[in-house]
């Protein structure tokens, strides 16, 4: 078969919720019984899966005519070896985009929204029907890309982890995390529910939730209305995706005789954020909401959080 290019296309898909239920309960009949027994509607799961698989089939059919194509499930992405010239296409929600970008080395990523009725798709500008034209543009260098800043966590035991949206540093359970935080020459022992470190891309995610709650609490205590709209940092509602800085926010810091609450929010730019664990067990660092892929962060381990040298490349 003659292709437009010798470059390879890697199509990344995921299991649907219906697939996961069947995997858990062996077949659809048992999955349906469980969901309905709990008062749910299996029809929603089935319809969601139908729409997604239709988008997968449509995408695959279009791509097979353009170049060599390989389809893989997202669970294999961490161990998959991408070629330098590969074009990567992700079919799923925003989180799937983030959890793919950190395993790439500058390869262009095309993000496709398979179900616009269900997914807002901040990072999903395309539909499966757009793929023929978009891929042809990428092959001919006619399509722009956005540079995506990532965050890097480097531990003093040699481990490291990247984040496209955000890091969580804290305990696996709901008990308080204990650590020493250092930044810009200042240092403080803290006890909190953990620390969120956000990139520009992640500024509309977890960080937005943390700051929205803080804003409402402060406004209520002050007897005033909270600032309306989506702005959570002065003069902006969304940080640039290629920003050369990160923001950290300490969740529910607790003041005591031995712990402080002065270094609870700020920018990470000229110097890294250093965090030294004081947790004997269950200390973790995970990125982009994937709790299963984590670094152990127990007593004596120091983490240095900074802007990563590696950048992502998102086709727009």
């Amino acid at each position: 078969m003659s292709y437009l290019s010798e470059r390879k296309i890697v199509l990344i898909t995921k299991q649907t919720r219906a697939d996961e239920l069947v995997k858990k309960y062996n077949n659809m009949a048992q999955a349906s019984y469980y969901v309905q027994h709990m008062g749910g509607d299996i029809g929603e799961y089935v319809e969601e899966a139908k729409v997604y698989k239709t988008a997968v089939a449509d995408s695959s059919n279009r791509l097979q005519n353009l170049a060599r194509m390989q389809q893989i499930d997202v669970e294999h992405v961490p161990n998959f070896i991408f070629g330098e010239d590969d074009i990567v296409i992700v079919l799923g929600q925003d989180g799937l985009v983030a959890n793919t970008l950190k395993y790439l080395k500058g390869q262009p990523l095309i993000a496709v929204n398979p179900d616009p009725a269900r997914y807002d798709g901040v990072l999903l500008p395309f539909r499966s029907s757009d793929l023929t034209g978009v891929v042809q543009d990428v092959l001919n260098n006619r399509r722009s890309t956005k540079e995506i800043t990532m965050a890097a966590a480097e531990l003093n035991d040699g481990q490291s982890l990247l984040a496209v949206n955000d890091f969580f540093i804290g305990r696996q359970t709901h008990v308080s995390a204990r650590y020493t935080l250092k930044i810009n020459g200042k240092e403080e022992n803290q006890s909190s529910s953990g620390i969120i470190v956000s990139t520009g891309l992640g500024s509309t995610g977890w960080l937005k939730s943390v700051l929205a709650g803080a804003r409402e609490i402060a406004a209520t205590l002050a007897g005033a209305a909270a600032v309306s709209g989506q702005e959570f940092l002065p003069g902006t509602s969304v940080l640039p995706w290629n920003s050369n800085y990160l923001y950290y926010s300490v969740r529910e810091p607790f003041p005591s005789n031995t712990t402080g609450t002065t270094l609870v929010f700020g920018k990470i730019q000229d110097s890294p954020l250093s965090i030294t664990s004081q947790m004997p067990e269950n200390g973790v660092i995970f990125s982009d909401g994937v709790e299963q892929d984590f670094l152990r962060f127990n007593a004596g381990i120091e983490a240095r959080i900074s802007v990563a040298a590696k950048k992502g490349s998102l086709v727009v």
Side-chain angles (χ1 to χ4, degrees):
M1 184 175 181
S2 178
Y3 295 119
L4 295 178
S5 173
E6 290 303 311
R7 295 174 69 179
K8 184 177 68 177
I9 295 172
V10 181
L11 176 62
I12 298 173
T13 57
K14 65 180 182 67
Q15 297 289 301
T16 66
R17 293 188 297 168
D19 293 330
E20 292 170 353
L21 284 171
V22 170
K23 184 177 180 180
K24 183 175 182 179
Y25 295 105
N26 298 318
N27 56 59
M28 181 54 75
Q30 292 190 63
S32 177
Y33 173 79
Y34 171 78
V35 172
Q36 292 175 352
H37 180 70
M38 298 302 293
D41 178 13
I42 193 65
E44 167 61 19
Y45 296 86
V46 173
E47 179 61 24
E48 180 186 57
K50 179 181 177 181
V51 172
Y52 182 75
K53 291 180 179 181
T54 297
V56 171
D58 184 52
S59 299
S60 179
N61 289 336
R62 293 173 186 276
L63 297 172
Q64 287 175 358
N65 296 321
L66 300 175
R68 292 179 299 123
M69 189 198 76
Q70 183 173 1
Q71 181 177 331
I72 64 171
D73 188 271
V74 65
E75 69 176 17
H76 300 302
V77 168
N79 299 314
F80 187 78
I81 299 175
F82 292 92
E84 291 183 4
D85 293 328
D86 286 353
I87 298 172
V88 181
I89 298 174
V90 166
L91 196 67
Q93 295 169 271
D94 289 337
L96 192 59
V97 176
N99 286 308
T100 300
L101 271 175
K102 60 189 173 188
Y103 295 106
L104 302 181
K105 296 181 179 179
Q107 294 94 336
L109 187 149
I110 301 171
V112 177
N113 190 337
D115 195 346
R118 289 182 174 87
Y119 308 150
D120 292 338
V122 175
L123 306 180
L124 308 170
F126 303 113
R127 308 291 182 265
S128 61
S129 58
D130 300 323
L131 279 175
T132 300
V134 174
V135 172
Q136 288 177 335
D137 285 347
V138 172
L139 291 173
N140 292 294
N141 298 314
R142 295 196 302 256
R143 180 67 61 162
S144 299
T145 60
K146 271 192 174 183
E147 185 179 76
I148 307 298
T149 294
M150 302 186 201
E154 298 179 341
L155 307 190
N156 59 352
D157 66 358
Q159 296 185 85
S160 63
L161 187 66
L162 292 174
V164 176
N165 282 327
D166 42 51
F167 279 122
F168 171 80
I169 303 103
R171 294 288 286 267
Q172 285 179 314
T173 60
H174 292 290
V175 298
S176 295
R178 296 291 296 266
Y179 52 86
T180 301
L181 186 150
K182 302 177 187 177
I183 190 166
N184 299 327
K186 298 179 181 179
E187 177 178 334
E188 187 170 69
N189 288 326
Q190 292 185 345
S191 174
S192 74
S193 298
I195 306 167
I196 304 299
V197 177
S198 177
T199 66
L201 188 63
S203 63
T204 58
W206 204 343
L207 180 65
K208 179 180 177 181
S209 298
V210 170
L211 297 182
R215 182 183 62 215
E216 293 291 342
I217 292 171
T220 299
L221 291 176
V227 178
S228 62
Q230 306 221 356
E231 293 191 351
F232 56 84
L233 294 172
T236 183
S237 57
V238 179
L239 299 178
W241 291 0
N242 64 344
S243 59
N244 64 341
Y245 51 84
L246 312 169
Y247 271 94
Y248 76 92
S249 180
V250 177
R251 302 169 68 214
E252 301 165 337
F254 185 77
S256 71
N257 290 338
T258 58
T259 58
T261 58
T262 60
L263 302 176
V264 298
F265 178 76
K267 183 183 287 189
I268 306 169
Q269 187 168 22
D270 297 326
S271 61
L273 173 70
S274 172
I275 308 165
T276 302
S277 176
Q278 298 176 7
M279 297 171 280
E281 60 182 1
N282 296 326
V284 295
I285 299 175
F286 64 80
S287 65
D288 303 323
V290 183
E291 296 182 79
Q292 299 84 355
D293 184 16
F294 64 90
L295 302 180
R296 297 191 184 279
F297 187 54
N298 295 324
I301 298 296
E302 179 187 8
R304 292 169 63 85
I305 313 293
S306 60
V307 172
K310 186 166 79 168
K311 307 291 184 182
S313 180
L314 189 64
V315 175
V316 295

